[in-house]
Amino acid sequence: MAGEYDSIDEAARRVLGSPLQNLVRAAIFVLAVFVLATAGFVASGWSFGDAAYMVILTIFSVGYGEVHPIDTGWLRALDIATIVLGCTGMIVLTGALVQVFAHYQIRNILGIDRMQSQIDRLTNHAIVCGYGRIGKQLAIELQRARTPFIVVDRNPAKIAEAEAAGHLTLKADATDEASLKTAGIERARVLATVLPDDALNVFITLSARNLNPRLEIIARGEYPTTEGKLIHAGANKVVLPTHIGAERIAEMIVYPTTSRFLGEAPQVRDLKRGLHEFGLEIEAVTVPEKSALTGATVGEAERRACGAFFLVQIDRPNGQSYVHPAEDTRIEAGDTVVLVLRGTRMTAGSIFTEPRQPFKMGRGYV
């Protein structure tokens, strides 16, 4: 609703000018009529007080009697001009005052000024372009992390939904540079463009990079072929939701123990995210009876892996757990071992599931 009013307001400004500009122009016109008419009466021999009083009575259409007789052609012409120009000027001035009052009252009722003042106070914030499935989840996570952000979308229904969720919003087209400036892109720390249209994401990335070279840009891509275009357009990181979803499903199929053991608690997600920043992954593996490392010690397993992983916990089938197990702790069949991995989890996890035979692991053989 606020965005619709902004569009109407902008169109009115182009035709009529801003309310304040109209008010100033009308006031200048009335003042000019007052000064010139007063000077004309003074030139006819009237005192300044009588002249000013006569002009005020005339332009405000009060209708009192004449201060002095208007009995010459010059005075009558001056009085007619004062009536026509003065009354017209007052009508325009009154209209401009009404326009100013209506303009700012409507903006106050719609909360436009309040919203804009909140946006203007944002610094080092995030700009989320698009409030679809991914945008909604992203907004929830940012709100949970207490990270300041603003949602930009041109769909009124989505903006209303975001506002109902308590998010700061801007109904605008994110492909328009003016909209990004209104969202405070010069002061922003990061922009995430998560629209389902790759072409729009590329265009937004180009505009954002042009407006703020220091901005971190995270872009969504629907197709792997778009990743290179987004990087070339200026994105720092590209996220392919379909690819990530497929990887997650593959993990659940190949490593069901990891999914059951670690779960999806917020603390676990935070831990995974933190490890991932350093190129590490966490995995839980159940050791089969004929594993290559069944019966080996923790120290032997880590040395054989050549630094590909290290063990942080061992859970026995009987319920006994070893947190930060010692190097001489033996790995037994049926144990669930929790690993922190360097490199790909497919290769690292296989060391516990492969049978007893030499195979390549990292830089060496087991």
Side-chain angles (χ1 to χ4, degrees), residues 18-28 92-94 96-97 99-100:
S18 72
L20 286 177
Q21 286 178 338
N22 293 337
L23 179 63
V24 170
R25 290 167 184 164
I28 292 174
V92 174
L93 180 62
T94 303
L97 283 170
Q99 185 186 15
V100 168

Side-chain angles (χ1 to χ4, degrees), residues 12-346:
R13 286 187 183 186
R14 287 195 296 267
V15 176
L16 304 174
S18 72
L20 286 177
Q21 286 178 338
N22 293 337
L23 179 63
V24 170
R25 290 167 184 164
I28 292 174
F29 178 79
V30 172
L31 181 61
V33 171
F34 173 80
V35 171
L36 294 174
T38 301
F41 283 113
V42 169
S44 299
W46 292 24
S47 67
F48 175 78
D50 289 345
Y53 182 68
M54 180 64 186
V55 173
I56 290 174
L57 291 179
T58 303
I59 64 177
F60 278 92
S61 305
V62 175
Y64 291 165
E66 299 168 354
V67 179
H68 296 289
I70 300 177
D71 51 6
T72 66
W74 160 252
L75 286 175
R76 289 174 180 172
L78 179 60
D79 194 41
I80 291 172
T82 304
I83 292 171
V84 174
L85 297 178
C87 291
T88 303
M90 287 304 301
I91 292 171
V92 174
L93 180 62
T94 303
L97 283 170
V98 172
Q99 185 186 15
V100 168
F101 291 147
H103 174 81
Y104 288 103
Q105 282 179 346
I106 291 174
R107 293 184 70 88
N108 184 59
I109 291 171
L110 296 178
I112 297 172
D113 290 333
R114 183 171 63 254
M115 181 192 70
Q116 190 58 52
S117 65
Q118 289 178 318
I119 295 174
D120 292 340
R121 287 197 298 269
L122 289 175
T123 55
N124 293 323
H125 59 289
I127 300 175
V128 179
C129 299
Y131 197 67
R133 291 181 297 105
I134 295 178
K136 290 176 188 177
Q137 190 60 40
L138 176 57
I140 291 172
E141 295 296 333
L142 290 175
Q143 189 176 49
R144 183 178 297 160
R146 299 183 181 276
T147 299
F149 69 96
I150 178 172
V151 174
V152 180
D153 200 299
R154 63 185 179 185
N155 189 321
K158 291 182 179 180
I159 286 296
E161 186 178 355
E163 289 177 349
H167 307 319
L168 184 61
T169 64
L170 176 64
K171 180 185 175 299
D173 187 350
T175 61
D176 184 7
E177 291 190 357
S179 300
L180 295 177
K181 288 180 180 179
T182 303
I185 193 169
E186 294 90 348
R187 306 182 307 276
R189 179 177 60 86
V190 60
L191 178 142
T193 175
V194 292
L195 295 169
D197 189 317
D198 284 0
L200 292 180
N201 287 329
V202 170
F203 195 87
I204 292 171
T205 300
L206 280 169
S207 300
R209 179 58 66 211
N210 181 58
L211 292 171
N212 188 346
R214 301 179 304 278
L215 184 71
E216 181 180 5
I217 300 176
I218 302 172
R220 168 189 177 181
E222 286 297 302
Y223 303 100
T225 54
T226 311
E227 183 173 4
K229 297 181 179 69
L230 288 166
I231 294 295
H232 184 70
N236 300 97
K237 299 175 182 176
V238 177
V239 178
L240 303 173
T242 305
H243 182 68
I244 293 174
E247 282 188 342
R248 177 61 180 152
I249 294 171
E251 284 180 7
M252 296 173 72
I253 295 172
V254 179
Y255 298 106
T257 303
T258 301
S259 300
R260 290 196 300 269
F261 182 84
L262 297 178
E264 286 299 324
Q267 296 86 350
V268 174
R269 290 202 302 269
D270 292 340
L271 174 61
K272 289 180 179 179
R273 190 180 300 114
L275 290 173
H276 186 69
E277 291 293 329
F278 295 97
L280 304 174
E281 301 287 345
I282 188 169
E283 179 184 326
V285 178
T286 299
V287 181
E289 184 176 352
K290 296 182 179 181
S291 167
L293 292 180
T294 300
T297 64
V298 170
E300 290 172 346
E302 291 180 345
R303 283 192 293 274
R304 290 184 186 182
C306 300
F309 67 81
F310 58 91
L311 282 79
V312 294
Q313 185 171 331
I314 297 177
D315 291 333
R316 303 285 191 204
N318 60 9
Q320 189 176 12
S321 294
Y322 297 90
V323 181
H324 304 304
E327 288 193 359
D328 58 354
T329 303
R330 292 200 173 274
I331 301 168
E332 301 176 0
D335 288 350
T336 298
V337 295
V338 182
L339 315 170
V340 174
L341 312 172
R342 301 184 182 93
T344 61
R345 99 172 5 193
M346 292 293 185

